[in-house]
Amino acid sequence: MPKPIREGNGPRHVAIIMDGNGRWAQRRGRPRLFGHHAGAKRVREIVEACPDLGVRYVTIFAFSTENWRRTQSEVAGLMSLFRVRLDKKLVSLMDELELMTSGCTGVNLTIAINYGGRDEVARATRRLAQDVAAGKLDPDAVNEETLPKYLDTCVLPDPDLVIRTSGEARISNFLLWQSAYAEYEFIDTLWPDFCAEEFGRLVTAYGNRERRYGGVKA
């Protein structure tokens, strides 16, 4: 594991597109769901590595709105794996987990399930428009700082670093608004092989980048 980065020099919020579980399993002659189980174990390892690296927030892309198009067996297995679905019983399990960990202050883990960036922005825009129509918001006062207050992630800082595993170089509708100025790392490693050491290298490399946010260095 690389040495911890200097405080304030590394990413506070890392978002991860965990890709490659199915391919990892298929290369081993196993069903795709076997890869998802292996990938779930990696989540814990990565989250546990965060405090020493100065990472306070982690958002993982577990299941997108587009993933419902997969086979019924894979979708059912994923829903069981992440213990979440839109039915009340499984949602209550997530609520219970949030309550149990509400006093924890080390790392804030957000799991994006049934999530799509365009859908999120559309819903946020609709809520904003409703407030304008109701006279709660002056349309002339709307700027780029207004919409984030209506996003699902309004309680989180924007991600500083976005990592996608498996060799795919696209963002797949993930945190579209929030990642406007994030640094990206597209790596070939399949998610079940993505270890804490590699994660540490990426976090440390971020700390060495020059962040100008569209400006120029004086």
Side-chain angles (χ1 to χ4, degrees):
M1 171 77 67
K3 294 181 180 179
I5 54 180
R6 297 190 304 275
E7 186 175 356
N9 201 38
R12 183 168 63 144
H13 183 179
V14 178
I16 305 175
I17 302 174
M18 308 179 297
D19 196 17
N21 291 334
R23 278 172 282 168
W24 183 89
Q26 290 175 332
R27 290 176 184 179
R28 289 160 176 76
R30 303 296 298 271
R32 292 177 58 87
L33 193 56
F34 177 77
H36 293 306
H37 280 276
K41 295 178 182 178
R42 283 299 183 189
V43 173
R44 180 169 185 169
E45 178 182 343
I46 298 306
V47 172
E48 289 178 344
C50 286
D52 288 340
L53 293 167
V55 177
R56 297 296 305 276
Y57 299 87
V58 179
T59 299
I60 57 175
F61 202 6
F63 193 87
S64 74
T65 50
E66 291 81 15
N67 286 156
W68 292 107
R69 302 169 188 167
R70 297 186 178 186
T71 64
Q72 183 176 359
S73 60
E74 184 174 358
V75 169
L78 281 167
M79 290 302 102
S80 174
L81 178 62
F82 289 108
R83 291 289 190 271
V84 66
R85 187 65 169 89
L86 300 181
D87 66 85
K88 295 180 180 180
K89 183 177 180 180
L90 293 179
V91 169
S92 69
L93 291 175
M94 293 296 292
D95 292 338
E96 181 180 350
L97 180 60
E98 289 184 1
L99 181 62
M100 290 173 59
T101 59
S102 60
C104 299
T105 58
V107 179
N108 185 304
L109 173 64
T110 301
I111 304 175
I113 299 178
N114 193 28
Y115 172 84
R118 288 183 174 181
D119 173 72
E120 179 191 23
V121 172
R123 287 185 289 103
T125 304
R126 184 163 56 248
R127 290 193 292 268
L128 187 154
Q130 289 171 344
D131 280 354
V132 169
K136 298 179 181 179
L137 182 64
D138 182 357
D140 292 331
V142 175
N143 55 37
E144 65 181 54
E145 296 180 358
T146 307
L147 185 63
K149 299 175 183 178
Y150 292 83
L151 295 174
D152 298 338
T153 59
C154 60
V155 297
L156 301 174
D158 287 344
D160 304 295
L161 174 64
V162 179
I163 299 171
R164 179 169 188 150
T165 59
S166 88
E168 302 291 349
R170 58 180 181 272
I171 59 177
S172 293
N173 201 21
F174 183 48
L175 299 179
L176 299 179
W177 178 281
Q178 300 89 332
S179 299
Y181 279 100
E183 296 287 325
Y184 279 83
E185 288 282 1
F186 298 104
I187 60 175
D188 292 332
T189 307
L190 300 179
W191 175 251
D193 291 327
F194 185 68
C195 63
E197 182 176 0
E198 185 168 10
F199 179 62
R201 286 197 296 269
L202 296 177
V203 169
T204 301
Y206 171 95
N208 296 325
R209 295 184 180 187
E210 181 182 337
R211 304 271 286 159
R212 297 191 301 271
Y213 298 96
V216 295
K217 188 175 181 180

